[in-house]
Amino acid sequence: MPQLPSPSADNQLDDNDTLTEIAILYYQEGATQEEISKKFGMSRAKIGRMLRKAREEGIVEITVKFHPVYSAQLEQRLVETFNLKRALIALDQSDSTEQRKQVATLVSSYLDSNLQDDMAVAVGQGQNVAAVADLAGVVSHRNARFVCAIGGTHRSGDIINADHICRRLAKKYGGSSETLYAPAYVTSPELREAFMSHSTITETLNQARKAEFALVGIGDMDENSHMVKLGFFSPKEFVEARLNEGIVGDIGGFDFFKLDGSHADTMMRGRVIGLEMEDLRQIPNVVAMASESRKALSIMGALRTGVIDVLATSVSCAMALLNLAEDTSKNVK
């Protein structure tokens, strides 16, 4: 015979049903706690406890929609705190893909407003940069060039390849793309040196260095990152770099840095075929993107390098950055 639910299971089901009914009355139908207490024959204090329990157990999820004025104030605080030209802040989304899309929408709009004919854009790799290229919508066509600022990956990484992103951006804006004919990462500094001395690679990177804009992602040292998944570095290398060398992230996959923004003089850095941080410093408008909330420390380190001009991120990341900056300021005092 099938096993019947135990009395405790029945009680739990009844409890969840009651919590849900009370939550609907309070949050959706606008009933007061006094009205609900009379309906269920419970005290107001108990109704308050049950509403809190409904939130704690996930029956109720509360999302705060920020007013545009608040977002503008938040952007201004970031600009002033980190000496930026612009900050682009997207509202928080529960879904990571949607969050990335919202950040990409702001970057696409910024680029559409500022990119002009005959300008060049140096393009990095990664999901956040790729999201700008893949974003649906109409943009103004102009004769701009999109130049790879880092080499490519094997087939499984096509979607986040700088080359593929450049091609999609060129198609979107009606411009042209320039491929960097080299792998993104090699096994030794000596092999990197051989690639970097090749005239074709040198010419492409020189074009990227002269760009008016750069679109780059900010990476963290998570051992589950795409760099590890694609086999460029091992999980052990990432963990050791984080713990032993104090590395907190990378910009565009090109260069690794510590929390204070200083270069990480590591073997990892000597294996990347692409631009370096000093090259980015010469580009007038470096747009850095990071939609993931876990990347607050990485973004902080990236901002402290001084190479970022425009930051695109989420509200939660922006608040975390301002809190980190405030804590640092208090510690200094």
Side-chain angles (χ1 to χ4, degrees):
M1 291 181 63
Q3 192 173 25
L4 294 173
S6 66
S8 62
D10 285 337
N11 291 339
Q12 186 174 7
L13 287 172
D14 291 342
D15 192 31
N16 284 340
D17 287 345
T18 304
L19 287 176
T20 302
E21 189 175 353
I22 288 173
I24 289 172
L25 284 169
Y26 185 74
Y27 289 106
Q28 290 190 353
E29 298 183 9
T32 65
Q33 291 189 26
E34 181 66 30
E35 291 169 340
I36 297 171
S37 69
K38 289 178 180 178
K39 177 179 174 66
F40 286 89
M42 301 176 185
S43 67
R44 282 190 60 185
K46 184 169 183 179
I47 295 299
R49 289 195 296 272
M50 293 183 77
L51 287 170
R52 183 168 62 250
K53 186 177 180 182
R55 294 195 300 271
E56 291 171 351
E57 295 189 0
I59 293 172
V60 173
E61 291 183 355
I62 298 175
T63 301
V64 178
K65 294 293 184 183
F66 290 99
H67 191 279
V69 171
Y70 178 83
S71 294
Q73 291 172 346
L74 195 57
E75 290 174 3
Q76 187 58 35
R77 287 177 64 193
L78 281 176
V79 167
E80 293 172 356
T81 302
F82 297 104
N83 194 29
L84 299 168
K85 291 182 180 178
R86 283 288 308 276
L88 308 172
I89 310 300
L91 296 180
D92 288 340
Q93 307 293 325
S94 57
D95 180 72
S96 59
T97 301
E98 183 60 28
Q99 185 70 76
R100 197 175 297 118
K101 180 180 177 182
Q102 293 299 319
V103 171
T105 298
L106 296 177
V107 174
S108 182
S109 177
Y110 171 83
L111 199 60
D112 191 38
S113 299
N114 292 278
L115 187 62
Q116 298 176 18
D117 283 336
D118 301 322
M119 284 186 171
V121 182
V123 180
Q125 64 179 11
Q127 293 184 96
N128 286 290
V129 184
V132 178
D134 294 335
L135 191 69
V138 178
V139 296
S140 304
H141 280 201
R142 65 266 293 172
N143 186 31
R145 288 181 299 116
F146 297 89
V147 186
C148 290
I150 189 169
T153 66
H154 50 70
R155 298 297 301 178
S156 61
D158 274 357
I159 193 169
I160 65 165
N161 260 335
D163 176 53
H164 287 254
I165 296 171
C166 277
R167 292 173 189 270
R168 299 199 301 275
L169 284 169
K171 183 177 181 180
K172 181 175 181 177
Y173 285 92
S176 60
S177 65
E178 184 75 24
T179 299
L180 180 61
Y181 292 102
Y185 305 95
V186 291
T187 54
S188 68
E190 292 77 20
L191 189 53
R192 174 186 183 271
E193 208 50 47
F195 272 105
M196 293 290 279
S197 63
H198 194 284
S199 59
T200 300
I201 294 170
T202 300
E203 173 58 30
T204 302
L205 288 177
N206 282 338
Q207 288 186 42
R209 292 183 182 103
K210 295 174 184 177
E212 285 80 11
F213 293 87
L215 295 181
V216 296
I218 298 173
D220 59 5
M221 299 305 292
D222 190 314
E223 52 267 37
N224 293 314
S225 76
H226 276 268
M227 283 194 197
V228 173
K229 288 179 180 177
L230 292 173
F232 304 145
F233 302 101
S234 69
K236 183 180 179 182
E237 284 179 304
F238 260 40
V239 171
E240 289 179 349
R242 186 176 68 233
L243 297 178
N244 301 333
E245 301 179 58
I247 300 174
V248 297
D250 70 89
I251 295 182
F254 320 134
D255 231 336
F256 296 88
F257 51 81
K258 301 180 182 181
L259 184 56
D260 62 3
S262 62
H263 267 119
D265 191 12
T266 168
M267 286 294 289
M268 293 170 68
R269 182 173 172 237
R271 289 161 49 186
V272 182
I273 299 177
L275 296 185
E276 296 186 2
M277 209 175 299
E278 288 307 308
D279 296 320
L280 288 180
R281 208 179 296 280
Q282 306 308 313
I283 296 175
N285 303 287
V286 176
V287 183
M289 291 159 272
S291 61
E292 301 86 351
S293 58
R294 71 171 193 271
K295 290 184 177 180
L297 281 178
S298 301
I299 300 171
M300 175 65 83
L303 288 169
R304 287 172 172 168
T305 66
V307 306
I308 295 174
D309 301 294
V310 178
L311 174 67
T313 190
S314 66
V315 167
S316 58
C317 274
M319 292 299 297
L321 288 167
L322 291 169
N323 289 335
L324 284 169
E326 186 177 345
D327 290 344
T328 302
S329 177
K330 287 179 181 177
N331 290 335
V332 170
K333 291 178 182 179

